[in-house]
Amino acid sequence: MKRLLFLLALPFALEAAPVLDAKTLPLVPRYELAAAQVLKAQQAVNDKRGQPLQFAVGVPTDLQLTEGRWDDMDANTARWRLRLSSADALSLNLQLADVKLPPSAQLWLYDTGGRVVQGPYTQKNISKDGRLWTAATPGAESVLELHLARSEVSAAKLRILEVNHGFRPVLPAMTSGKSGSCNIDVVCPEGDGWRDEIRSVARITINGQLLCTGQLINNVRQDLTTPYFITADHCQVGESATPADSVVFYWNYLTSACGGTPDGGLGQNQSGSTFIADDSRSDFTLVQLSQIPPPEFKVYYAGWNVGGSAPQSGVSIHHPAGNEKRISVYDSPATASDVVVSGVPVQAWQVRWARGVTEQGSSGGGLWDQNHQLVGVLSGGDSSCENPGGSDYYGRLNVAWTANPTPDGQLKAHLDPDNSGKTTLAGRDPTVAVPGMGSDSGSGVLLGGGALDLFALLTLLVFRRARRA
């Protein structure tokens, strides 16, 4: 029996949604990762505070369209599928290269249990170098599926360059993966005064293997056409092995209840970014998202303060252990302090928490002051549920502002390109007009790489049928 899968789909593509074809799936070729390769990769994992959390290991492959199975969905539409398997994997995601998708082509990755579909990915989601990193699907086996017009089959091309085997429970419903019990869900009362800032924060994966946190950040022009995103330099975004186009951004990943089970959804995601700037001394990396987050994600662009005055109180918002979004609260002034991260001295704000802590995976999460302005990004520290009185250190934005004379080593050239001289800026809700600028609520575009919940999917289907009536 065929079963419709949940997916994030462009409205015009709903009728082309992939269907779990249980009858013919056994006929689809299956590629299995060698257990010895996975084990060798896992043995090289080195967990260390002040480093991005590694949740998966990569196994090189070189699989092309010749490896899978082609069939016809109808007289005009061709379908290609390939099963990918890795014993005991908790999740799978892919690195694709040499991707060329003709205008009609749509690509999906989904688990064989039909729980999660990631896509559709189209040529708009492919980097200028022909690369794509997919979002993750749960379990030890996934299906890569391509739909396109039969007349365009010869124009399609892709290579599966690497399959990432997830060995940590970082997807929803993996209850053993919840971060320390002293962490505070953002839906708890502690988050009530910070709802806008919470919407700016995303969990990110880098190269399909590493986890960090970061946030959208406003710029002085407030035009929202340049979606800048800031995280920690030690998260390695933009390095040769972890390029910026490998980043997948997961929005609104949070629990439904305060102190509840880890039931957040990772369907609201998007793939790809471009490196803009970084600096190791202030431990920041700035990237630009490949596409503006769609309106239904309801994101927020964080404001900032680069004046250098010590924050008196505030919060940090982050994804400890890569799990649902948490909030930590401080009610005493931070102090300027230096800390060594990965052998590099970082000029940081030292913070002690009144409530909550941070963990690996929280790296890059923002520090907000009493005025709801971003003043730093998490570099490291020793706070934990076992050591709640420990200190955490946040690379200082006032240092990052003009850290280096060249644009690729500072924030100012990008967040204040007109040299206005501003040292503080309020956050920006894309749906709310700024005097003299108007509302940009319609500027978002819906993009591949996610999964709508069932309600949203049915709503869109009903809307389409109503339009035809």
Side-chain angles (χ1 to χ4, degrees):
M1 180 178 180
K2 295 181 179 180
R3 182 155 60 94
L4 183 67
L5 298 170
F6 297 179
L7 66 150
L8 172 61
L10 295 167
F12 63 78
L14 284 173
E15 294 175 332
V19 171
L20 182 59
D21 189 346
K23 182 177 180 180
T24 64
L25 193 59
L27 303 176
V28 176
R30 181 172 176 265
Y31 178 85
E32 185 164 4
L33 300 187
Q37 285 182 287
V38 174
L39 178 61
K40 182 178 180 180
Q42 283 187 246
Q43 289 173 338
V45 174
N46 182 23
D47 288 333
K48 186 178 180 182
R49 191 73 185 263
Q51 294 289 332
L53 178 66
Q54 187 164 357
F55 74 98
V57 293
V59 176
T61 61
D62 191 6
L63 304 171
Q64 303 183 46
L65 292 176
T66 53
E67 314 290 340
R69 182 177 189 267
W70 286 97
D71 57 17
D72 293 329
M73 297 187 66
D74 54 45
N76 300 311
T77 307
R79 175 177 63 178
W80 174 89
R81 288 177 292 171
L82 177 65
R83 291 188 294 163
L84 300 152
S85 177
S86 185
D88 301 321
L90 299 178
S91 65
L92 295 175
N93 71 84
L94 309 179
Q95 177 188 351
L96 307 181
D98 300 330
V99 182
K100 293 183 180 178
L101 298 179
S104 68
Q106 295 182 321
L107 184 69
W108 291 268
L109 181 72
Y110 57 89
D111 68 286
T112 54
R115 290 170 289 176
V116 175
V117 173
Q118 302 292 5
Y121 300 102
T122 69
Q123 188 60 37
K124 292 180 180 180
N125 303 113
I126 310 305
S127 76
K128 63 181 181 180
D129 297 320
R131 302 187 295 189
L132 171 70
W133 279 259
T134 72
T137 57
E141 186 169 323
S142 297
V143 180
L144 189 63
E145 181 166 333
L146 174 66
H147 294 182
L148 74 168
R150 292 180 64 186
S151 60
E152 294 182 333
V153 166
S154 61
K157 183 181 177 182
L158 64 80
R159 291 171 57 211
I160 303 173
L161 204 62
E162 192 168 55
V163 177
N164 293 307
H165 168 113
F167 62 89
R168 279 199 167 99
V170 296
L171 294 182
M174 296 178 176
T175 54
S176 63
K178 190 171 183 180
S179 56
S181 59
C182 69
N183 280 287
I184 303 167
D185 297 318
V186 292
V187 297
C188 292
E190 286 84 351
D192 285 346
W194 302 90
R195 296 298 165 202
D196 286 340
E197 291 75 20
I198 288 168
R199 293 189 286 125
S200 73
V201 178
R203 187 187 87 158
I204 61 173
T205 58
I206 305 110
N207 199 35
Q209 300 172 27
L210 307 176
L211 280 164
C212 272
T213 302
Q215 42 279 315
L216 279 170
I217 188 167
N218 199 9
N219 66 75
V220 173
R221 290 178 179 175
Q222 299 199 65
D223 51 17
L224 304 181
T225 59
T226 309
Y228 287 134
F229 186 93
I230 189 169
T231 186
D233 181 63
H234 75 264
C235 289
Q236 304 175 19
V237 175
E239 297 184 7
S240 59
T242 51
D245 56 354
S246 76
V247 180
V248 178
F249 303 82
Y250 294 88
W251 304 102
N252 301 315
Y253 181 38
L254 42 87
T255 58
S256 61
C258 178
T261 57
D263 60 355
L266 287 167
Q268 293 189 344
N269 64 70
Q270 62 185 97
S271 299
S273 65
T274 301
F275 171 82
I276 299 298
D278 71 349
D279 174 62
S280 58
R281 292 175 301 165
S282 52
D283 197 23
F284 89 89
T285 293
L286 187 72
V287 299
Q288 181 178 342
L289 275 59
S290 296
Q291 293 179 292
I292 298 172
E296 57 268 34
F297 289 6
K298 298 180 179 178
V299 299
Y300 184 80
Y301 292 73
W304 38 263
N305 182 341
V306 296
S309 57
Q312 301 300 295
S313 62
V315 301
S316 181
I317 304 164
H318 52 98
H319 286 278
N323 298 142
E324 287 89 340
K325 202 176 300 186
R326 319 292 186 200
I327 189 167
S328 305
V329 180
Y330 67 103
D331 56 13
S332 59
T335 57
S337 180
D338 290 347
V339 63
V340 176
V341 177
S342 301
V344 177
V346 174
Q347 298 179 64
W349 293 120
Q350 180 181 7
V351 179
R352 294 183 185 274
W353 305 113
R355 296 183 296 283
V357 295
T358 66
E359 298 182 22
Q360 266 194 294
S362 302
S363 287
L367 182 72
W368 277 265
D369 67 11
Q370 66 279 3
N371 298 314
H372 291 247
Q373 292 171 329
L374 195 67
V375 294
V377 292
L378 180 61
S379 295
D382 61 1
S383 78
S384 67
C385 290
E386 293 73 32
N387 182 33
S391 294
D392 284 334
Y393 298 86
Y394 287 74
R396 291 159 51 187
L397 292 198
N398 65 300
V399 177
W401 193 241
T402 52
N404 289 300
T406 57
D408 64 357
Q410 62 172 253
L411 288 176
K412 184 179 186 297
H414 312 286
L415 302 187
D416 187 16
D418 303 318
N419 199 26
S420 72
K422 286 182 177 292
T423 59
T424 63
L425 184 69
R428 177 87 197 269
D429 186 330
T431 66
V432 178
V434 170
M437 295 183 182
S439 171
D440 293 270
S441 60
S443 63
V445 289
L446 191 61
L447 47 113
L452 282 179
D453 59 32
L454 181 59
F455 176 78
L457 178 61
L458 292 176
T459 300
L460 285 172
L461 285 169
V462 170
F463 175 73
R464 284 175 59 81
R465 291 181 179 275
R467 288 185 61 187
R468 293 178 176 177

